[in-house]
Amino acid sequence: MSGAVQTVLAPPAGPARRAVRDPLVAGLVGLCLAVAVGLLVARPAPYLVNALGQLATFAILAVSLDLVWGYLGILSLGHGLFFAIGGYVCAMHLLSHGVAVTGVQPDFVQFMGWKSLPAYWAGLDHPAYALVLALALAGLVAFLFGLASFRSRVNGVYFSIISQALVYVAMLLMYRNDTGLGGNNGMTGFPLLFGWPMGSPGVATGLAVAALVALAAVLAGTRLLVGSAVGRRMIACRDDETRLRTLGYSTTRLKLGIWCLSAMIAALAGILYVPQVGIINPRVLAPDLSIEIAVWVAIGGLGRLGGAVIGAVLVNGLKFWLSTAMPEAWPFILSGLVLVVVLVLPNGLLDLVALRPRPNWLRRSR
Amino acid sequence: MTGLVIEALTVAFGRFTALDGVSLAVDPGEVRAVIGPNGAGKTTLLDVISGITKPVSGRVMLGDRIDLTTRSEAEIARAGVRRKFQKPSVFPALTVRENLEIGCGPAVPAGARAARIASVLGEIGLRPRADIIAGRLSHGEKQWLEIGMVLAAEPALLLLDEPVAGLSDAETAQTAALIRALRRPDRAILVIEHDMDFVEAVADRVTVLHEGRTLYEGSLHGARSDARVIEVFLGR
Ligand SMILES: Nc1ncnc2c1ncn2[C@@H]1O[C@H](COP(=O)(O)OP(=O)(O)O)[C@@H](O)[C@H]1O
Ligand SMILES: [Mg+2]
């Protein structure tokens, strides 16, 4: 399996060699697949399986942000929105599936005094439809928001602020109890996954393996993209958008396409996350959570897909450990990490291994 | 044949009028130099032609059909207009070759690019530096790379904003030779420059801009003996 991935990542003949060779990404793809195989063979303790699976979904989310931030210079502080769209649609599928099999209505339906799920839930018990809907919805929301922003040339910090406002508005909407999406309690109590009891070890292992394989695929795919001619245009757009336009390229189309792709990858992470934690509620739309995604990427190393993975795994691994050991210290530790990165390692932890020269576009005010 | 005709172009930034009714016609096959003191509006003129700045009034016709003032930057570029910026604008994170690849433009099929890149590399003399990251090039090499990027698209209208600024005398002479070689019957070239020897070496005619207006148009020799031009250049 990892042999095939090596072939995929092998540098093609011609001028693009430098851009395509990326031992860090190749290594991480191999590691993901090896851990996936390890989970299937060794069957470690359930909490470890679950933690690894969740870390993989956070890493996918970080890669989705690095794709637009690191390679296009678009900092989204609202990527939690796309993650939540994936998560909510996945939760809707799991609840519909439960109703279809057991006939018992979810808690929030009973709480609202309704007899059954709202009409727009129809068909969501079909997993393929739910998957397509989640990705399409994330893509559509990203398209509309991106079209409005990029066409009117909203860039830089303005874009970041608006993206943050968007996720905040979505949170306020989801806190309402009459939307038919669980309101402030969210959705939980998923009984089954593809007909299998949710809590069983087999399901937990399956989910973690799926998340790891998805991470490997997302990493390999995004690496191929950024190493391609399109990737070079992304870097060009990041460094000098006007220059690229005056060479005949529609940067709006380029940004819109990658932005939508990024949103769909974030939604994929949300889809894989919700069954592993067994709950989704409007907290995932909290602005500080979206900012945290940017922190993972910045800590790992912006503009290196492998750095995003390392940052997400490191910060969340630390969080898993410390939030049980000393939960009240977590915000301070995270802030400390951010300060260290900003002051000492402007390109994130990858600075430590000096895998790349410092890109000066980061410091240039745009 | 696509020449450039600019009619009564007026550009304002707030209450400041940067260009005030400028008209200018560059024939196909011609190399026109625009000279004038700092702040005369030369760069602003190129900004309007390349679509970055929209004028208050006036038209910029490429050929006899396309009014560039109504088009986006990318559309203008696709119509055959290329511009070299005053501050060398190459993509610092990409190699010389990758910069030229992008310079070919979106319309050139991938198969045709390699040959074109190879020939441009020869023209700008950067073949030995082809796989170096552009950010590491010297100032002069960046200037040439950017000229190469705009050449790679085989433009019908070429706009060059101070292509020899900051270059040594030897580099300036090389650049002048390069620009003379770019002259083609179906290509109009508009070059902005302060260096009079350079202008003399490359341009057929000159236009002198001063405070947003055309002060003189004709031969460089004529400009040198024009009383108002002398006053503007000596008076600064
Ligand atoms: N975007 C802008 N906003 C405000 N003023 C500008 C802008 N661009 C140029 N100007 C002003 O317009 C005048 C002409 O500038 P420019 O065209 O760059 O001159 P030149 O290239 O001839 O030195 C200058 O006074 C400059 O300060
Ligand atoms: Mg200028």
Side-chain angles (χ1 to χ4, degrees), chain B residues 42-43 86 161-162:
Chain B
K42 306 181 296 294
T43 297
Q86 183 167 353
D161 199 346
E162 306 202 11

Side-chain angles (χ1 to χ4, degrees), chain A residues 9-10 20 23 56-57 59 63 74 79 83 87 123 135-136 143 152 165 267 284-285 321:
Chain A
L9 293 177
V20 173
T57 62
V63 168
I74 301 170
H79 250 44
F83 185 75
L135 297 179
F143 180 81
S152 47
V284 295
L285 291 159
W321 175 49

Side-chain angles (χ1 to χ4, degrees), chain A residues 14-19 153 228-229 231-251 253 357 360-361 364, chain B residues 50 52 72-74 77-78 81-85 87 89-95 97-98 101-106 113 131 133 136 146 149-150:
Chain A
R17 277 171 183 278
R18 173 193 58 85
R153 304 198 175 172
S228 73
R232 293 192 284 281
R233 283 177 208 172
M234 289 163 65
I235 291 169
C237 184
R238 172 194 78 187
D239 288 344
D240 197 338
E241 185 173 355
T242 302
R243 206 337 150 210
L244 192 61
R245 278 207 198 101
T246 54
L247 291 169
Y249 297 88
S250 161
T251 57
R253 234 168 46 203
N360 47 19
W361 64 268
R364 195 200 306 160
Chain B
S50 46
I52 294 169
S72 73
E73 297 102 314
R78 287 198 286 267
V81 179
R82 281 296 183 282
R83 175 204 186 152
K84 191 216 154 307
F85 286 85
K87 171 179 165 286
S89 298
V90 299
F91 300 115
L94 302 178
T95 65
R97 194 189 296 280
E98 289 164 347
E101 178 202 20
I102 288 183
C104 288
R113 272 191 217 130
D131 294 307
I133 298 285
R136 304 225 178 98
E146 197 186 355
M149 285 164 74
V150 296

